[in-house]
């Protein structure tokens, strides 16, 4: 960034605004021709808190075949939608990015989008994919979240299974045991 090049904070802000204005002008005059330029434009829009513009530019660039269908580009597109609160639109590019990713972390992001959309079944499935793909910093927390999704669906057996998995990690053991007790109480309450 500009601030690292010996500029003051104020100079850096002016520089970054000029950079956006220059790119935006070139974009509006159809002077941006490469996928890389479109991706930079999308990043600039996102950085300057214009997520709608970011996703519009990158979505069209991918659609037109200028930008490649890479994990990075799909992730950037999803970020535009998420930051713009268009969660439903974020699902497809995030799914694409997660599929292309080497680990399960993007599946966890997808699960969180689903949870915010109250789509618990899809959230639980995305967490399954995350756990299967691996590479999560805290798989125990993923299992807790999955158990909570199953609990919302009143799938008590699946919830118990997820919480038992989480309990294997000492960092989540206490919480998982409490949630297991809650599942049993909730199941009894519904039967009664």
């Amino acid at each position: 960034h500009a601030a690292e090049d010996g500029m003051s904070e104020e100079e850096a802000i002016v520089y970054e605004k000029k950079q956006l204005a220059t790119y935006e002008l070139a974009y509006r005059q159809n002077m941006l021709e490469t996928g890389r330029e479109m991706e930079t434009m999308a990043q600039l829009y996102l950085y300057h808190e214009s997520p709608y513009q970011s996703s519009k530019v990158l979505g069209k660039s991918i659609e037109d075949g200028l930008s490649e269908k890479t994990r990075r580009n799909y992730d950037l597109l999803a970020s535009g939608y998420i930051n713009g609160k268009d969660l439903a639109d974020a699902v497809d590019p995030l799914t694409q990015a997660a599929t292309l990713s080497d680990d399960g972390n993007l599946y966890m992001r997808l699960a969180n989008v689903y949870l915010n959309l109250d789509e618990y079944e899809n959230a639980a499935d995305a967490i399954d994919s995350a756990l299967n793909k691996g590479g999560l910093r805290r798989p125990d927390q993923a299992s807790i979240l999955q158990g909570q999704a199953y609990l919302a669906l009143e799938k008590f057996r699946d919830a118990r299974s997820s919480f038992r998995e989480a309990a294997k990690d000492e960092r989540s053991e206490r919480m998982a045991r409490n949630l297991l007790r809650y599942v049993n109480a909730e199941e009894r309450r519904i039967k009664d």
Side-chain angles (χ1 to χ4, degrees):
H1 271 25
E4 289 154 18
D5 299 332
M7 290 186 191
S8 72
E9 194 71 30
E10 292 80 15
E11 288 170 325
I13 290 166
V14 169
Y15 171 81
E16 287 167 354
K17 284 197 171 135
K18 278 184 184 166
Q19 185 184 25
L20 175 65
T22 305
Y23 256 88
E24 205 166 18
L25 189 63
Y27 174 69
R28 290 202 175 142
Q29 294 177 346
N30 294 319
M31 290 166 64
L32 301 186
E33 292 162 4
T34 69
R36 191 72 205 105
E37 289 169 328
M38 296 301 203
E39 291 147 31
T40 301
M41 181 80 254
Q43 286 170 325
L44 284 167
Y45 273 135
L46 200 56
Y47 178 76
H48 289 277
E49 294 171 19
S50 297
Y52 172 76
Q53 290 299 115
S54 174
S55 48
K56 205 170 100 174
V57 167
L58 188 55
K60 186 172 178 356
S61 184
I62 290 172
E63 201 177 292
D64 293 349
L66 283 175
S67 290
E68 291 178 36
K69 295 177 176 180
T70 61
R71 181 203 58 77
R72 191 178 156 280
N73 285 340
Y74 280 126
D75 190 14
L76 179 59
L77 179 58
S79 293
Y81 287 128
I82 290 167
N83 291 4
K85 308 281 186 264
D86 297 318
L87 297 181
D89 290 333
V91 168
D92 185 54
L94 204 44
T95 302
Q96 301 280 356
T99 305
L100 295 168
S101 183
D102 296 334
D103 60 43
N105 290 300
L106 287 173
Y107 276 115
M108 286 308 298
R109 257 183 88 195
L110 178 61
N112 281 303
V113 166
Y114 279 133
L115 288 171
N116 283 311
L117 292 168
D118 295 327
E119 293 184 25
Y120 300 109
E121 191 74 56
N122 287 331
D125 290 347
I127 295 169
D128 245 356
S129 297
L131 291 166
N132 287 332
K133 206 157 205 184
L136 301 179
R137 210 170 49 78
R138 294 286 307 271
D140 55 309
Q141 289 178 336
S143 292
I144 293 265
L145 207 56
Q146 185 179 45
Q148 290 170 324
Y150 284 134
L151 190 55
L153 293 164
E154 295 182 4
K155 289 187 166 187
F156 301 115
R157 187 183 312 149
D158 291 332
R160 269 197 281 281
S161 174
S162 294
F163 293 140
R164 281 193 195 105
E165 189 57 40
K168 292 177 184 174
D169 187 311
E170 60 184 32
R171 295 171 293 185
S172 288
E173 187 180 5
R174 213 167 118 227
M175 184 180 198
R177 298 257 172 252
N178 288 336
L179 286 164
L180 279 165
R181 280 194 290 279
Y182 179 75
V183 170
N184 295 335
E186 195 61 12
E187 191 172 26
R188 273 195 307 275
R189 187 186 68 76
I190 285 168
K191 278 182 182 163
D192 295 344

